[in-house]
DNA sequence: ATGTATAATGGTCAGAGAAAGTCAAACGTT
DNA sequence: AACGTTTGACTTTCTCTGACCATTATACAT
């Protein structure tokens, strides 16, 4: 498993117990034996505002990074996502969304997998490459509205 | 025996034990002492959707190629369908298939609905109209081999 | 108290690294 | 000659690193 995945897992695990995660960047970096900026990478690719996470931090002595999550109803959460996806969506971001949907029981593995497949580059192979992320976004938005 | 055949055999052998094969392209290439793109050749000529295989992959650090296979009990039926759908697929024909899938318990209503939405004209609004049935066919084929 | 240096954090971004994909040319077989 | 196979140069995507920057707290001098 990739380092980023391991770090993500660790943070998610804390989230499972607490409603907010406060961490020290340099400590985490030491813990996972990587450079501090790796932590930023993990956060910026996985704990994204599109999923309702927001991140605060403070530098200097006693600095920290705090990740919290807006507790939205399912409907609001989906609306929020609809709002934030503009008109392009990559395959890897779809994966991130789906993982989240599963975590919050909005989808089962099977359904998530169907969506993943439908939105894969494989499926969309005949759509012009420049248009693909746009079509993906369209399909995804349609699907979101129909989740229930 | 040709190299491609040997590599195919190797992958098939893993399939005999597992239901899905996850491999590292460069590792395999080293293992069989060939260039990495040879692996792509083997996959693209032998593990094709028409034969009931589905391939996903990821680039970058920790990348992989994952090949999965459709459920054997449904192979004949699905193979038939794959065969019949050649290049184009309309929304209404999708509906007919989906109804069948539900009748044969290959899908529940919820999943069928997801597929219906994903393949609707609304989702595919930005795909050129002349191309739409073709893209729909592509997506549907990918989905079919992932029913399980 | 007030201002200033220093230490302790975290942020950013470009580039290196680690895979996999593509495509056309060369090579072999039939 | 036609077809299938093998190869390698070039591309794309994702991850990881490090040098340099910005901010905050604290200690120290006045």
């Amino acid at each position: 498993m990739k380092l980023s995945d391991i770090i993500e897992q660790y943070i998610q695990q804390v989230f499972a117990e607490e409603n907010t995660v406060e961490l020290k960047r340099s400590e985490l970096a030491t813990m996972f034996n990587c450079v501090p900026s790796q932590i930023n990478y993990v956060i910026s690719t996985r704990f994204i505002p599109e999923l309702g996470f927001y991140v605060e931090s403070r530098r200097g002595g006693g600095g920290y990074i705090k990740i919290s999550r807006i507790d939205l109803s399912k409907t609001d959460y989906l609306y929020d996502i609809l709002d934030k996806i503009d008109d392009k969506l990559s395959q890897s971001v779809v994966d991130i969304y789906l993982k989240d949907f599963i975590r919050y029981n909005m989808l089962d593995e099977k359904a998530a997998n169907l969506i993943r497949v439908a939105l894969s580059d494989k499926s969309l192979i005949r759509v012009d490459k420049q248009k693909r992320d746009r079509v993906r976004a369209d399909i995804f938005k349609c699907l979101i509205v129909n989740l229930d």
Side-chain angles (χ1 to χ4, degrees), chain A:
Chain A
M1 188 143 74
K2 272 169 303 194
L3 179 53
S4 289
D5 291 338
I6 296 171
I7 297 175
E8 179 197 356
Q9 204 174 42
Y10 170 80
I11 299 177
Q12 288 289 2
Q13 196 184 306
V14 183
F15 254 122
E17 288 156 17
E18 311 285 338
N19 209 27
T20 195
V21 177
E22 190 169 324
L23 47 89
K24 293 207 157 267
R25 189 178 78 145
S26 51
E27 255 179 33
L28 259 205
T30 306
M31 182 166 166
F32 291 104
N33 200 30
C34 62
V35 295
S37 56
Q38 175 90 34
I39 308 301
N40 297 85
Y41 177 71
V42 172
I43 290 174
S44 69
T45 53
R46 274 110 164 142
F47 297 89
I48 54 179
E50 282 79 358
L51 292 174
F53 291 101
Y54 64 99
V55 180
E56 301 160 89
S57 66
R58 220 189 150 93
R59 307 181 192 195
Y64 60 87
I65 300 177
K66 196 167 119 191
I67 311 174
S68 4
R69 182 155 219 202
I70 311 163
D71 194 15
L72 290 173
S73 71
K74 190 169 150 183
T75 325
D76 287 344
Y77 171 72
L78 292 178
Y79 257 107
D80 216 46
I81 289 180
L82 265 179
D83 221 39
K84 280 171 189 149
I85 297 175
D86 41 28
D87 61 353
K88 290 175 114 195
L89 185 61
S90 74
Q91 216 181 339
S92 46
V93 175
V94 168
D95 277 345
I96 294 170
Y97 280 125
L98 291 178
K99 236 199 278 174
D100 207 57
F101 290 176
I102 291 172
R103 188 175 307 124
Y104 290 97
N105 290 316
M106 296 164 54
L107 277 182
D108 55 34
E109 296 269 358
K110 198 176 148 180
N113 198 43
L114 284 179
I115 294 178
R116 214 162 45 83
V117 170
L119 298 187
S120 68
D121 276 346
K122 279 259 147 51
S123 288
L124 302 176
I125 189 74
R126 279 197 178 95
V127 178
D128 294 344
K129 221 174 164 195
Q130 311 99 2
K131 264 178 143 184
R132 216 174 279 166
D133 281 354
R134 174 159 292 172
V135 170
R136 208 188 326 263
D138 288 341
I139 303 176
F140 196 65
K141 284 181 183 175
C142 281
L143 285 170
I144 280 183
V145 176
N146 280 277
L147 282 188
D148 48 35

